[in-house]
Amino acid sequence: MILTVTLNTALDVTHRVPRLLPHTSHRVTAVTERAGGKGLNVARVLAALGHEVTATGFAGGPAGTVVRDLLAGSPGVVDALVPCAGTTRRTLAVVDESTGDTTQFNEPGPQISAVEWSAFLARYTELAAGARAVALCGSLPPGVPVGAYAVLVRAARAAGAPVLLDTSGEALRRGVAARPEIIKPNAAELAELTGSRDPLPATRDARRRGAHAVVTSLGPEGLLAATPDGTWQATPPRTLRGNPTGAGDSAVAGLLSALTEDLPWPDRLTRAVALSTATVHAPTAGEFDPRTYAEVRGSVKVTAVPAGGR
């Protein structure tokens, strides 16, 4: 079983409009709702790849009820969300159909009490003991200690489960010091962590801060990975138009699934880039287009980066 953690789960609401213009009214052509948050997106992709997945985190209030109802309709994903008194946040995405661009609005999330955090820790420790790997994903809701991910990394490592950490800011800074197996920042998050805007030295610097391996998202340029076995850049064969929301989560699922299958790093990166690219062609986060995945997987270019640079 692979365990995914989404402390700040969300009810993702997507509106599609013919054209998004500021200061005007819009007629919405379609509305969709999904159980959201980075870890839940990862869980759905892992399940689609054939892995047994358990999803935990917090869920509460009317929005939390909808999230759990929607999650029940996700084949292969076991709901282990922990109740909270506050209401699960909503995220609103507005898709401009004329350009394909997406504008996102993210609420902060419910206030988590000390008692609720303790209840989650107890449940997490129990679940991690049976996990082959753990994904810790996304932002922290109000009330959760800023060092929460460091605590969760150490607990999983004590249970013998490798951890992939995908977060940002101070939560990432503290989490990386707990020595996760992999961290997956984007270029901006990596620059914030290391102070360097050059991805190659920044990726290597992040390894020195505690991560066993660092995989940096470079957007259309793919992934840059600094690992104990070497440094590689993996790039897709072409840039695709579509909705990039959730593409990074699909990359996480690809890395984590390949980790549990003990694949070599070039194969891990190939899977991650192919899934990320295929998600751009999917209608919503947590899905990928199988045809695009099959096409791209054989065309991803993985290049070894020498010790002195690119």
Side-chain angles (χ1 to χ4, degrees):
M1 176 269 286
I2 298 176
L3 178 64
T4 71
V5 176
T6 314
L7 293 175
N8 209 4
T9 55
L11 175 59
D12 288 345
V13 182
T14 300
H15 287 182
R16 302 185 71 88
V17 298
R19 186 174 181 83
L20 182 61
L21 298 171
H23 315 300
T24 63
S25 297
H26 295 80
R27 187 173 297 279
V28 176
T29 59
V31 180
T32 58
E33 292 185 337
R34 286 288 280 218
K38 294 176 72 65
L40 295 187
N41 293 337
V42 172
R44 284 193 294 268
V45 174
L46 285 168
L49 292 171
H51 291 272
E52 296 181 2
V53 188
T54 297
T56 190
F58 290 105
T65 299
V66 176
V67 164
R68 302 192 81 157
D69 289 344
L70 292 170
L71 193 60
S74 299
V77 180
V78 175
D79 177 357
L81 295 172
V82 175
C84 64
T87 297
T88 293
R89 67 186 176 128
R90 296 161 299 173
T91 68
L92 175 62
V94 181
V95 179
D96 184 331
E97 294 177 326
S98 68
T99 63
D101 292 337
T102 301
T103 301
Q104 192 92 8
F105 300 89
N106 297 328
E107 296 178 357
Q111 181 76 30
I112 302 300
S113 70
V115 171
E116 290 167 339
W117 174 239
S118 295
F120 172 80
L121 283 178
R123 182 68 171 130
Y124 171 82
T125 302
E126 174 188 321
L127 292 168
R132 298 175 61 200
V134 177
L136 304 175
C137 304
S139 62
L140 302 178
V144 170
V146 70
Y149 281 136
V151 172
L152 299 184
V153 169
R154 294 188 185 102
R157 291 186 64 209
V163 178
L164 189 155
L165 176 62
D166 183 13
T167 189
S168 61
E170 188 63 21
L172 175 60
R173 189 181 308 278
R174 298 199 187 194
V176 73
R179 306 188 66 81
E181 186 74 14
I182 305 170
I183 63 170
K184 197 213 70 63
N186 61 32
E189 292 162 350
L190 183 68
E192 184 180 9
L193 174 66
T194 65
S196 173
R197 295 196 174 275
D198 187 332
L200 181 58
T203 297
R204 289 170 171 164
D205 178 31
R207 275 203 71 213
R208 290 190 290 270
R209 293 169 184 261
H212 195 63
V214 179
V215 181
T216 304
S217 296
L218 302 177
E221 296 180 31
L223 299 173
L224 177 66
T227 81
D229 301 326
T231 301
W232 290 274
Q233 182 165 355
T235 55
R238 61 189 185 278
T239 300
L240 298 177
R241 285 181 59 85
N243 183 2
T245 304
D249 303 331
S250 291
V252 167
L255 293 169
L256 204 60
S257 64
L259 169 66
T260 63
E261 296 168 30
D262 201 26
L263 296 182
W265 269 103
D267 291 346
R268 298 183 194 186
L269 296 170
T270 295
R271 180 180 293 182
V273 168
L275 282 169
S276 179
T277 303
T279 295
V280 174
H281 267 194
T284 55
E287 296 180 358
F288 61 92
D289 180 69
R291 181 179 299 178
T292 304
Y293 176 54
E295 291 175 355
V296 172
R297 187 171 50 184
S299 303
V300 174
K301 182 180 180 181
V302 181
T303 306
V305 180
R310 283 187 280 185

